[in-house]
Amino acid sequence: MRPVERGPAPRTYAKYGDAIEDLEARLDIYCSYCERRLPTSLAVEHVVPKDLSPRLETEWTNFLLGCTNCNSVKGAKPVDVSDFLWPDRDNTFLAFTYVKGGFVSLADNLSETQKVQAQALLDLVELQRHKAPGWGNPAPRDKRWQQRDEVWAAAERSLELLEKLGGVDEAVEQILIAAKGYGFFSIWMTIFNDYPDVKKGLIQRFIGTASTCFDPDGNPLNRLGGNI
Ligand SMILES: [Zn+2]
């Protein structure tokens, strides 16, 4: 899951919905949880549900961007922030592993506490749900797993091309354009793990990626002040 940096509040909001354009300008047009690209249908997502904490309803630091699936699954489930990892507080890229076929699971090498917090975040938005047996049963309209599968395949094809062309700049540029168009930052970062130029480009081009979560070669680092 892409770690993000929303920055200081651009202004105050009378209604939370008024923040959508500022959020998209800061975090780009991707769901903060599942990473899919949605140019027109993202919603302001409240980390702590607005129904449970009206005080945080219009609070910038409580906002992320959510798609219909992540938003509706998360709903008004009670959230004690310290029980979870969060893309705006932690380096959530270190917390999860994306693999071929559209699967998401906990990363290896997490501490016991991190495992519990990472699993809590996965469960909160049911991100790991997949049609394969044993992976929960996604709702009929929940195609996040399928999109991950498709984008994984597209990214793999791009990798083959890059290897064939020997890593030339034009190919890197084309890959960055494709990645922005498809979304799913973490899948591209995973597939191009051996290509620092691609990783650096992804971190820069996906607006709002927390650059302090990565070293100059695009390798993930623990986030300062975060749980991971
Ligand atoms: Zn989503």
Side-chain angles (χ1 to χ4, degrees):
M1 189 181 292
R2 181 174 74 115
V4 295
E5 187 98 64
R6 69 170 88 65
R11 60 189 182 94
T12 56
Y13 303 98
K15 302 192 297 286
Y16 71 84
D18 297 344
I20 189 74
E21 284 181 38
D22 288 337
L23 281 166
E24 288 178 341
R26 292 282 181 86
L27 303 179
D28 221 334
I29 49 174
Y30 305 97
C31 175
S32 300
Y33 299 114
C34 71
E35 306 186 326
R36 76 216 308 195
R37 180 177 188 267
L38 290 166
T40 57
S41 58
L42 285 167
V44 175
E45 139 58 22
H46 294 86
V47 174
V48 176
K50 58 185 184 306
D51 296 345
L52 300 179
S53 186
R55 187 177 59 82
L56 295 174
E57 180 168 344
T58 56
E59 178 58 46
W60 175 251
T61 57
N62 194 41
F63 294 157
L64 287 172
L65 287 167
C67 72
T68 313
N69 294 121
C70 294
N71 242 340
S72 65
V73 170
K74 183 170 175 286
K77 285 179 195 164
V79 165
D80 183 338
V81 170
S82 61
D83 291 342
F84 301 80
L85 297 180
W86 297 104
D88 60 326
R89 293 165 182 249
D90 301 296
N91 186 354
T92 39
F93 184 71
L94 282 168
F96 305 110
T97 302
Y98 294 73
V99 298
K100 192 180 179 74
F103 296 94
V104 183
S105 51
L106 299 192
D108 296 332
N109 305 325
L110 300 179
S111 71
E112 287 308 311
T113 308
Q114 289 166 344
K115 266 186 212 168
V116 172
Q117 292 169 323
Q119 187 65 50
L121 174 55
L122 277 189
D123 292 342
L124 186 67
V125 292
E126 295 181 354
L127 192 61
Q128 76 276 42
R129 288 200 175 219
H130 194 291
K131 223 175 153 192
W135 286 82
N137 200 17
R141 301 289 311 277
D142 179 2
K143 302 292 189 202
R144 294 173 294 179
W145 62 275
Q146 193 175 15
Q147 290 178 346
R148 287 194 299 267
D149 185 18
E150 288 166 6
V151 172
W152 184 279
E156 265 191 334
R157 282 197 299 276
S158 299
L159 175 62
E160 282 166 20
L161 187 69
L162 189 65
E163 286 173 339
K164 206 159 88 183
L165 297 174
V168 295
D169 289 350
E170 291 84 352
V172 169
E173 179 61 24
Q174 198 54 42
I175 287 163
L176 295 174
I177 291 168
K180 281 276 291 181
Y182 279 108
F184 294 95
F185 170 87
S186 296
I187 289 177
W188 296 86
M189 287 289 287
T190 302
I191 297 244
F192 289 95
N193 186 42
D194 294 336
Y195 287 87
D197 287 348
V198 176
K199 290 195 288 185
K200 285 186 280 185
L202 293 167
I203 293 161
Q204 282 167 9
R205 302 276 181 101
F206 281 75
I207 296 161
T209 304
S211 57
T212 55
C213 288
F214 299 91
D215 74 10
D217 288 326
N219 300 309
L221 303 166
N222 284 307
R223 190 167 188 161
L224 203 63
N227 293 309
I228 186 168

